[in-house]
Amino acid sequence: MSLISSCFIVDATSTQIQIKYELQNTTTYTLYVCHYYTGLESIANSGVFTVYNETKQCEMKYKGVKASRIPPTAKNYIKIEPNETISNIVLMNSSFDFQPNEIYTVTATHRLNVVDNLNNINSVIKNSITVPTISNPVTFTAI
């Protein structure tokens, strides 16, 4: 299975950091990706992004809410056709403490729960694979 994730800066004011997260299906068949704890959600959750403060030379700590979820069902999976790219804008400010005039690098470093069919959801969940994902790093200066 081949999925490529990418991150792009959309807005970099210190009060409104927005990252565009993209996920591309490079296979010749349809895939279904669980959106839990990925860049496909609108708020950066714990373990989804690594943020490095280049100015202070340190990894930033996640400050958002840490929550557990019930196991995913079919409705929690997003269909991605062959060669299709899906994207989402992720708000980063509620999860990390960005300061003006500092340089940051953000990388998506989560794992994706991926299946190739949703016909029998109970067996699908048990047989899904988890794909490690590391996106391109995006570097920006908060203003």
Side-chain angles (χ1 to χ4, degrees):
M1 250 177 243
S2 184
L3 291 162
I4 299 173
S5 67
S6 302
C7 290
F8 306 95
I9 190 68
V10 174
D11 189 359
T13 62
S14 60
T15 57
Q16 187 72 16
I17 305 294
Q18 295 180 346
I19 298 291
K20 181 177 183 183
Y21 174 82
E22 291 185 347
L23 188 61
Q24 180 183 16
N25 177 0
T26 60
T27 70
T28 57
Y29 48 91
T30 301
L31 294 174
Y32 299 85
V33 177
C34 181
H35 68 83
Y36 282 9
Y37 306 108
T38 72
L40 299 173
E41 297 187 293
S42 295
I43 296 176
N45 288 304
S46 177
V48 176
F49 294 95
T50 299
V51 179
Y52 189 80
N53 184 321
E54 301 287 350
T55 305
K56 295 181 179 173
Q57 295 292 299
C58 64
E59 187 172 317
M60 294 182 64
K61 292 186 180 180
Y62 175 78
K63 67 171 189 146
V65 175
K66 293 183 182 180
S68 296
R69 290 189 166 149
I70 60 171
T73 64
K75 70 179 181 176
N76 302 117
Y77 283 78
I78 298 170
K79 182 179 182 179
I80 310 176
E81 297 289 348
N83 297 311
E84 180 183 13
T85 299
I86 60 174
S87 65
N88 186 51
I89 302 297
V90 182
L91 304 174
M92 303 293 288
N93 294 74
S94 62
S95 302
F96 298 94
D97 187 22
F98 295 99
Q99 299 299 313
N101 303 314
E102 293 187 1
I103 301 170
Y104 300 94
T105 299
V106 176
T107 309
T109 53
H110 57 82
R111 300 178 73 78
L112 294 170
N113 189 350
V114 182
V115 296
D116 59 6
N117 87 55
L118 293 175
N119 292 336
N120 181 350
I121 192 61
N122 292 329
S123 66
V124 165
I125 299 300
K126 291 177 187 167
N127 297 321
S128 67
I129 65 164
T130 302
V131 180
T133 298
I134 299 177
S135 73
N136 61 302
V138 59
T139 302
F140 61 92
T141 302
I143 54 174

